[in-house]
C-alpha cells in the first residue's frame, strides 16, 4: 500500500529537543534520538490541566495545538497513537491496590488511553471526533492507515495525527523493553488529501514514529520507496 | 453507506453465544448479576456481570482475556474463513476495541509475587493495550491492518467506525470488529473512588438510581461490503464527536452526544421517525443518564429506548459492540425490546422526557436501530443499524 497525503505540518517535541530547529538539526545529524524523561514545557495548556497529564500526554497535546496554530487549520479528525499509552498509571494503580485496595480517582480518571485526546479537545475547544489507537511494532503503519482511511473515505478533510510515548518505567517497577525506547516524546502531523507526502507501507512497517519524523524532516517526502 | 454485519459471537452475562442471548430474551430469563467479594476492600460485595470463564494463574496459560477472545473467534471462525477465502487474507483486517486489557491475573498475583506494594513484580506487557493486536492477528489469520482502538467505554463502537472506513476507503474488503474487557479490581475500585459504583443492582434512569455495576464481555462480528453467511444486518451510518468538557464527566447538556446522533442519522439517510429502537449507553449514573436523556429527548423524543446495563453490567470497552449486537437482534426481529423492569412512574422525573421502555414492547414496523456509546474524555460514538437488504 502507498500512503499519500498532503502534508500541512510536522512537529516534534521532547525534553532534549524542545524546538522545531532542534529536531531539524537532530534529523540531519544522523545521531541517535536523545532519550530523556525530563520536563516538557507546555505553555498552551492551562496549568491546572497540564499538571494532571503524564509528560508524553502533555507533549502530544502541545504538539497538536502548535501544529494547528502554525497551519491555521483545525483538524476535523484526530488520531492519537501510542504503544504504551497510560501504562505507567496502571503500574501506579496496581501498587495502590496492593497497598490498601484503593485507587486514586484522579489517577483512575486519567488512566484511559484517550486521555491526551480528551485534554486536546478541552483545551482547544475542538469538538471533532477523535480516536486513540494502539498497536505493536507496526504502530506507524496502523496509525497512517487509520488517518488514510478517514481521508480517503471522505469523512475527514484534515487529520491531526500524533504519535507519543510516556516513560515506561518508574520507581515502582522496571518494565522490560522489547524495542528501542525514546523516553518522552510526541511527533505530530497535519494531513489532508493530496500527494505532497507519499510513502510505501513496506517502508513504514520498519519505522517507529521517531524514524518517520527523521524521514520527513530530511526530505523523504515524495520518495515512495516501495 | 451500507455495509453488511455478519452474525455475532458474544460472551456476556446474558449468554455465552448469540443463541443463548436470544433464548434469554425470548424466555425473559436473565441471569442476575453476581454479588462478589474481593474487588473492594473490607470484604464489601458488589454486583458484577461476570462471564463463566475461569481465571488462569498468571503465567500458567493464556490470560482470561485471551481465552475469551479465542472462544469468540471460534464462534465465527467460519465467517472469518469465508472472508479470507473470498477476498484473500491480505484484504481482511481487524479492529479491536478495549479499555483496560484485563489485568485480572496480574492483580491476583501481585501480592503473591511482589516483595512489597512499592516494588511490583510482573511483566507489564501483559497489560499493554497495543499487544492485543498481535495476539488477535495470530488467532484470526487476518493479513490486512490489525490494530486496537482504546477510547474507554466507546472503544468497540469506535472500532465499527474505523472498520467501516477501511472498507469505504478500499483498503479492506472485510474487517473483523471486536470488543473485549474483563473484570478487574482497578475498574471496580476506580469507579467506586469516583462515587459512581452502585453496591446494589443498577437502575438506569430510575429516580433512585445510585450508579453503575461493572460487567465483562467479548463480542465480535465481520463487517464487509458483501454478505458473509446468514443472520446478517447492515451498518447504515455512524456519527462521533468530542465533548471537550471534562475527563470523567459528560457535557451536561448532551449537546455533542446529540450531534453524534444527528450525524449518524444523516449518514444513514434516515429520519428520527424511521428509528424503531435506541439502545442507550444508560449506565445508571446520575450524570450519564441525565445527559443522555437530554440528548435523546432532542433527537429521538418518541422512539422506544432502553439500556442493557442492568442485564450485563457495564462491560466498558466491550459495551459498544454488545449494544450493537442487541440492535442487530432487534433489527432482525429476533428479540423484543430490552426493558427496565420498574414502573414508569419511577422514571426519574428530573431528567428530560423520552420514551423509556419499561415493559415488553417491539419495534413494530420500524426496524432501524440506533446504539449510543459514550466514554471518559467525552468520546461519543453512535451507530445506526438496519435489516439486511442484499
Amino acid at each position: 500500500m502507498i500512503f499519500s497525503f498532503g502534508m500541512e505540518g510536522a512537529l516534534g517535541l521532547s525534553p532534549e529537543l524542545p524546538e522545531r530547529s532542534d529536531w531539524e538539526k537532530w534529523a540531519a545529524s544522523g545521531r541517535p534520538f536523545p532519550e530523556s524523561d525530563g520536563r516538557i514545557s507546555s505553555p498552551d495548556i492551562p496549568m491546572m490541566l497540564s499538571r494532571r497529564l503524564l509528560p508524553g500526554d502533555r507533549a502530544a497535546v502541545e504538539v497538536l495545538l502548535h501544529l494547528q496554530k502554525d497551519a491555521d487549520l483545525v483538524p476535523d479528525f484526530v488520531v492519537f497513537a501510542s504503544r504504551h499509552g497510560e501504562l505507567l498509571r496502571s503500574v501506579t494503580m496496581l501498587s495502590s491496590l496492593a497497598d490498601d485496595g484503593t485507587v486514586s480517582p484522579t489517577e483512575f480518571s486519567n488512566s484511559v488511553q484517550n486521555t491526551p485526546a480528551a485534554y486536546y479537545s478541552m483545551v482547544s475547544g475542538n469538538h471533532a471526533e477523535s480516536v486513540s489507537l494502539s498497536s505493536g511494532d507496526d504502530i506507524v503503519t496502523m496509525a497512517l492507515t487509520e488517518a488514510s482511511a478517514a481521508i480517503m473515505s471522505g469523512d475527514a478533510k484534515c487529520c491531526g495525527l500524533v504519535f507519543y510515548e510516556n516513560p515506561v518505567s518508574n520507581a515502582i517497577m522496571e518494565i522490560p523493553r522489547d524495542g528501542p525506547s525514546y523516553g518522552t516524546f510526541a511527533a505530530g502531523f497535519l494531513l489532508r488529501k493530496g500527494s505532497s507526502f507519499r510513502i510505501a507501507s513496506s517502508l513504514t512497517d520498519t519505522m517507529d514514529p521517531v524514524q518517520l519524523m527523521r524521514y520527513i524532516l530530511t526530505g523523504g517526502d515524495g520518495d515512495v520507496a516501495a | 453507506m451500507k455495509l453488511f454485519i455478519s452474525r455475532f459471537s458474544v460472551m456476556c452475562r446474558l449468554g455465552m453465544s448469540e443463541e443463548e442471548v436470544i433464548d434469554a430474551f425470548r424466555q425473559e430469563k436473565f441471569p442476575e448479576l453476581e454479588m462478589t467479594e474481593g474487588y473492594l476492600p473490607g470484604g464489601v460485595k458488589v454486583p458484577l456481570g461476570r462471564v463463566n470463564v475461569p481465571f488462569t494463574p498468571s503465567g500458567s496459560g493464556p490470560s482470561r482475556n485471551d481465552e475469551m477472545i479465542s472462544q469468540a473467534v471460534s464462534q465465527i471462525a467460519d465467517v472469518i474463513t469465508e472472508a479470507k477465502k473470498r477476498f484473500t487474507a491480505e484484504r481482511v483486517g481487524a479492529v479491536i476495541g478495549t479499555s483496560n486489557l484485563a489485568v485480572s491475573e496480574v492483580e491476583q498475583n501481585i501480592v503473591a509475587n511482589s516483595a512489597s506494594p512499592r516494588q511490583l513484580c510482573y511483566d507489564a506487557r501483559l497489560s499493554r493495550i497495543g499487544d492485543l493486536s498481535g495476539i488477535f492477528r495470530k488467532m484470526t489469520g487476518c493479513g490486512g491492518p490489525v490494530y486496537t482502538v482504546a477510547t474507554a467505554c466507546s472503544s468497540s463502537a469506535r472500532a465499527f467506525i474505523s472498520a467501516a472506513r477501511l472498507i469505504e476507503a478500499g483498503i479492506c474488503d472485510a474487517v473483523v470488529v471486536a470488543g473485549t474487557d474483563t473484570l478487574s479490581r482497578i475498574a471496580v475500585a476506580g469507579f467506586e473512588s469516583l462515587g459512581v459504583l452502585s453496591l446494589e443492582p443498577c437502575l438506569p434512569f430510575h429516580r433512585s438510581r445510585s450508579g453503575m455495576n461493572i460487567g465483562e464481555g467479548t463480542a465480535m462480528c465481520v463487517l464487509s461490503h458483501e454478505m458473509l453467511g446468514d443472520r446478517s444486518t447492515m451498518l447504515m451510518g455512524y456519527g462521533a464527536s468530542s465533548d471537550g468538557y471534562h475527563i470523567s464527566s459528560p457535557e451536561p447538556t448532551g449537546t455533542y452526544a446529540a450531534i453524534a446522533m444527528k450525524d449518524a442519522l444523516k449518514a444513514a439517510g434516515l429520519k428520527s421517525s424511521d428509528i424503531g429502537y435506541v439502545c442507550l449507553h444508560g449506565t445508571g449514573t446520575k450524570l450519564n443518564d441525565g445527559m443522555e436523556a437530554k440528548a435523546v429527548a432532542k433527537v429521538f423524543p418518541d422512539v422506544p429506548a432502553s439500556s442493557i446495563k442492568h442485564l450485563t453490567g457495564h462491560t466498558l470497552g466491550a459495551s459498544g459492540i454488545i449494544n450493537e449486537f442487541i440492535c442487530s437482534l432487534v433489527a432482525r426481529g429476533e428479540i423484543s425490546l430490552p426493558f427496565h423492569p420498574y414502573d414508569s412512574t419511577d422514571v426519574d422525573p428530573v431528567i428530560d422526557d423520552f420514551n423509556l421502555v419499561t415493559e415488553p414492547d417491539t419495534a413494530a414496523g420500524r426496524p432501524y436501530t440506533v446504539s449510543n456509546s459514550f466514554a471518559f474524555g467525552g468520546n461519543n460514538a453512535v451507530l445506526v443499524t438496519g435489516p439486511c437488504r442484499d
Side-chain angles (χ1 to χ4, degrees), chain A residues 30-118:
Chain A
R31 291 198 312 269
F33 189 80
E35 177 183 345
S36 170
D37 289 337
R39 284 183 56 81
I40 292 281
S41 171
S42 52
D44 296 321
I45 308 173
M47 195 179 293
M48 284 295 286
L49 297 178
S50 178
R51 67 186 178 84
R52 294 179 197 154
L53 293 170
L54 293 178
D57 303 348
R58 207 175 291 142
V61 175
E62 190 70 27
V63 155
L64 188 51
L65 293 171
H66 261 279
L67 275 171
Q68 71 177 53
K69 192 161 70 177
D70 289 352
D72 197 19
L73 278 172
V74 178
D76 56 0
F77 180 54
V78 174
V79 182
F80 284 94
S82 172
R83 285 193 73 180
H84 298 91
E86 306 295 312
L87 183 58
L88 203 56
R89 289 195 196 273
S90 298
V91 173
T92 306
M93 288 191 292
L94 285 166
S95 171
S96 174
L97 271 180
D99 198 9
D100 61 7
T102 65
V103 166
S104 144
T106 304
E107 203 71 35
F108 180 66
S109 298
N110 290 286
S111 69
V112 291
Q113 185 105 1
N114 55 315
T115 292

Side-chain angles (χ1 to χ4, degrees), chain A residues 1 3 52 77 82-85 87 89-106 108-115 117-119 121-123 125-136 138 142-143 145-146 148-153 155-156 168 171-178, chain B residues 39-41 95 99 103 106-107 110-111 116-125 127-131 133-134 137 144-152 154 158 161-166 168-171 185-191 193-194 238 240-248 256 375-380:
Chain A
M1 178 182 178
F3 295 113
R52 294 179 197 154
F77 180 54
S82 172
R83 285 193 73 180
H84 298 91
L87 183 58
R89 289 195 196 273
S90 298
V91 173
T92 306
M93 288 191 292
L94 285 166
S95 171
S96 174
L97 271 180
D99 198 9
D100 61 7
T102 65
V103 166
S104 144
T106 304
F108 180 66
S109 298
N110 290 286
S111 69
V112 291
Q113 185 105 1
N114 55 315
T115 292
Y119 281 79
S121 172
M122 282 187 255
V123 175
N126 183 358
H127 297 281
E129 66 167 298
S130 66
V131 67
S132 297
L133 177 152
S134 193
S135 192
D138 55 359
M142 294 304 131
T145 302
E146 172 80 9
S148 181
I151 291 170
M152 286 163 67
S153 66
D155 281 351
V168 292
I172 299 167
M173 189 171 72
E174 183 67 27
I175 294 176
R177 291 179 180 178
D178 53 2
Chain B
Y39 284 79
L40 290 178
V95 185
S99 75
V103 289
V106 171
E107 290 172 351
I110 286 171
V111 178
S116 86
R118 302 288 168 216
Q119 285 293 306
L120 296 187
C121 176
Y122 80 99
D123 186 344
R125 284 171 293 191
S127 50
R128 194 164 62 188
I129 283 173
D131 288 357
S133 53
R137 187 185 287 282
V146 178
Y147 52 91
T148 306
V149 163
T151 54
S154 62
R158 277 231 53 102
I161 298 176
S162 294
R165 286 180 178 149
L166 289 173
E168 297 275 291
I171 296 169
R185 286 173 65 198
I186 284 183
V188 176
F191 284 112
S193 77
L194 290 170
Y238 50 77
S241 65
S242 299
D243 279 355
Y245 178 74
H246 190 268
I247 188 65
S248 58
Y256 302 99
F376 269 18
N379 194 290
N380 308 312

Side-chain angles (χ1 to χ4, degrees), chain A residues 133-190:
Chain A
L133 177 152
S134 193
S135 192
D137 291 337
D138 55 359
I139 192 162
V140 168
T141 298
M142 294 304 131
L144 288 173
T145 302
E146 172 80 9
S148 181
I151 291 170
M152 286 163 67
S153 66
D155 281 351
K157 289 185 169 59
C158 177
C159 172
L161 167 60
V162 184
F163 297 95
Y164 70 100
E165 292 296 343
N166 282 301
V168 292
S169 294
N170 65 5
I172 299 167
M173 189 171 72
E174 183 67 27
I175 294 176
R177 291 179 180 178
D178 53 2
S181 169
Y182 300 113
T184 299
F185 77 91
F189 309 94
L190 265 188

